[in-house]
Amino acid sequence: MKPILKIWIVAVLAIIPAISNASSGCDQEMTQIKIIRTETAPSTGIDRSLNTSEISAYIVNDTNKKKTGTPVLTANKGFILGYTDESYGVYNDLPVIIFDDFTTDKKFVNFPFKVKSSAIKLLTLKNKNRDDLKFIFECMKNIKFEEKEHKRYYISTYQNIKILVPKSTQEQKKIADCFVSIDKEIDATKRKLEQLKEHKKGLMQKLFPAKGKTLPELRFFEFQNDEEWIPRPLSDILNYEQPTPY
């Protein structure tokens, strides 16, 4: 096997065990849990746990996205829309939940930021000695809520939804810490997955002939003296069926 090809394969194989052997401290600790009788957790409206903040002071003014600076956030899948060099109106009361009033999308944020839209609600704890914000966030993610029309939901409806909350703040924090450890694993696995994709992309460029050529740049050792690759139409290789009967 050529040295370059060997290096590529070794690099890929080094990543795979790191993914498959990942195990969170949360999972290890969960094995120690015993079933015990407990009091029914109190059911409380979200509004009892969370404050909302005025958003207008934190909306970005510069519409030109920068590559560095303070992140500009949204609560939907995009999350970080870009960056700004504006030094005023940066939100710093962390951590916080950002909540889209129209879609009910939400994100847990623990770094300074600005926002793009006035539709964002900033949610913080009313009593840090009673509740854990990460725990409340995970409860909110578990709420099944259907947005049936285009309107603001938090004040009118969402904040009145009741959630079950442990009486013990320590139990809330323990559960939250468990999810934090799992989130870190997910992020690390995503990064490793991207590395694997890049390795595969590089290998495909080396193991398939470049345009205009009939031999790949790299070949496995046992095939290095084989003939050139030959062009063949897909019609000679594949059968096809119309999907109509199915």
Side-chain angles (χ1 to χ4, degrees), residues 195-206:
Q195 291 175 351
L196 278 174
K197 288 179 178 179
E198 287 301 313
H199 278 296
K200 180 181 178 181
K201 188 186 299 183
L203 280 173
M204 290 183 71
Q205 293 173 353
K206 303 286 186 181

Side-chain angles (χ1 to χ4, degrees), residues 3-205:
I4 297 178
L5 182 57
K6 186 174 182 181
I7 291 172
W8 273 95
I9 294 174
V10 169
V12 173
L13 293 177
I15 297 173
I16 294 173
I19 297 175
S20 59
N21 293 333
S23 175
S24 69
C26 174
D27 290 335
Q28 293 169 358
E29 195 163 342
M30 288 287 282
T31 62
Q32 302 172 15
I33 291 178
K34 297 178 181 178
I35 299 175
I36 57 176
R37 291 185 179 275
T38 60
E39 296 182 59
T40 302
S43 179
T44 178
I46 293 174
D47 65 323
R48 184 174 179 268
S49 297
L50 299 177
N51 287 316
T52 60
S53 300
E54 173 59 40
I55 191 67
S56 59
Y58 308 108
I59 297 176
V60 66
N61 291 310
D62 186 0
T63 57
N64 297 316
K65 296 179 182 178
K66 306 292 191 302
K67 294 183 178 180
T68 60
T70 300
V72 179
L73 305 184
T74 178
N76 62 31
K77 187 180 288 187
F79 191 32
I80 298 180
L81 298 173
Y83 299 85
T84 179
D85 56 9
E86 293 177 5
S87 59
Y88 56 89
V90 176
Y91 189 84
N92 285 293
D93 186 12
L94 305 169
V96 65
I97 297 169
I98 61 173
F99 181 93
D100 189 305
D101 217 1
F102 291 99
T103 67
T104 73
D105 287 331
K106 58 202 73 71
K107 292 286 189 296
F108 183 86
V109 184
N110 57 6
F111 53 84
F113 63 91
K114 290 177 73 75
V115 297
K116 178 74 173 176
S117 169
S118 61
I120 296 294
K121 285 276 190 293
L122 301 173
L123 308 180
T124 55
L125 288 176
K126 289 187 174 181
N127 187 338
K128 294 181 180 180
N129 294 320
R130 182 185 63 198
D131 295 306
D132 182 274
L133 189 64
K134 178 66 173 176
F135 173 83
I136 300 298
F137 173 71
E138 295 295 340
C139 288
M140 290 171 65
K141 285 170 62 178
N142 208 33
I143 293 172
K144 302 296 186 293
F145 186 87
E146 184 179 357
E147 305 83 31
K148 296 182 179 180
E149 54 186 305
H150 185 70
K151 69 173 189 177
R152 292 181 179 269
Y153 283 101
Y154 188 78
I155 298 298
S156 63
T157 308
Y158 201 93
Q159 70 169 348
N160 299 316
I161 296 174
K162 290 191 174 182
I163 57 176
L164 289 170
V165 181
K167 291 182 177 180
S168 167
T169 307
Q170 287 73 25
E171 184 175 3
Q172 290 187 38
K173 188 175 188 315
K174 193 75 172 179
I175 294 170
D177 289 345
C178 172
F179 285 119
V180 168
S181 69
I182 293 173
D183 286 342
K184 287 180 179 178
E185 269 192 26
I186 291 171
D187 291 340
T189 302
K190 285 179 179 178
R191 290 193 295 270
K192 290 173 183 134
L193 179 60
E194 290 305 313
Q195 291 175 351
L196 278 174
K197 288 179 178 179
E198 287 301 313
H199 278 296
K200 180 181 178 181
K201 188 186 299 183
L203 280 173
M204 290 183 71
Q205 293 173 353

Side-chain angles (χ1 to χ4, degrees), residues 201-232:
K201 188 186 299 183
L203 280 173
M204 290 183 71
Q205 293 173 353
K206 303 286 186 181
L207 293 174
F208 285 98
K211 187 175 182 179
K213 296 187 177 181
T214 57
L215 284 174
E217 182 178 339
L218 299 177
R219 299 188 85 170
F220 289 98
F221 179 78
E222 61 268 36
F223 306 110
Q224 285 188 355
N225 296 321
D226 281 13
E227 299 176 6
E228 296 181 349
W229 292 24
I230 57 175
R232 293 172 58 192

